[in-house]
Amino acid sequence: MAKRLSPQLFVSRLSFYTTNQELKRLFSRFGVVTEARMILDPKTQRPKGFGFVSFESEVEAQKALKAMNGRLHDVLSYFCFIKKESMPHQSSETSLVFRL
């Protein structure tokens, strides 16, 4: 059975000063962003340099992925990966890795 792609992107190589609001603003030009979340270090509460952006649809996520993957923005490079939804007994990791 084919797996469905999730409308969630993993975004890495972000500035440690990036906020959730900036991440959402950056990706909102590609569609409706339902969540933009920077991952924080539990001890320092500072961003770890990566996060997740969720869209309303897979089409919007694909559009953002095509436009933003490996691009420079404000002297930072963004690498986007798309996650697949999986069956409970399968790994949630994907073999689709998009890089420069």
Side-chain angles (χ1 to χ4, degrees):
M1 182 175 186
K3 293 181 183 179
R4 246 190 72 198
L5 292 178
S6 165
Q8 183 179 65
L9 297 178
F10 171 76
V11 186
S12 65
R13 297 192 180 178
L14 296 168
S15 164
F16 295 104
Y17 301 104
T18 304
T19 65
N20 292 338
Q21 294 79 14
E22 290 170 331
L23 192 60
K24 184 174 185 172
R25 182 183 52 79
L26 181 65
F27 282 88
S28 65
R29 64 183 170 166
F30 304 106
V32 178
V33 174
T34 57
E35 180 183 34
R37 175 173 52 101
M38 293 294 297
I39 303 303
L40 303 178
D41 181 287
K43 290 182 181 177
T44 64
Q45 291 302 303
R46 291 163 71 181
K48 289 182 134 187
F50 64 92
F52 295 91
V53 179
S54 298
F55 290 89
E56 271 193 355
S57 74
E58 181 183 325
V59 172
E60 294 169 337
Q62 286 287 351
K63 189 166 52 168
L65 180 67
K66 275 186 173 182
M68 294 298 288
N69 186 41
R71 299 297 192 270
L72 292 176
H73 182 78
D74 293 337
V75 195
L76 301 172
S77 58
Y78 294 96
F79 291 88
C80 303
F81 304 90
I82 196 161
K83 292 179 64 179
K84 286 185 179 179
E85 293 179 8
S86 62
M87 301 299 286
H89 64 281
Q90 296 173 331
S91 169
S92 63
E93 293 302 312
T94 177
S95 60
L96 296 176
V97 178
F98 300 89
R99 298 188 79 101
L100 276 176

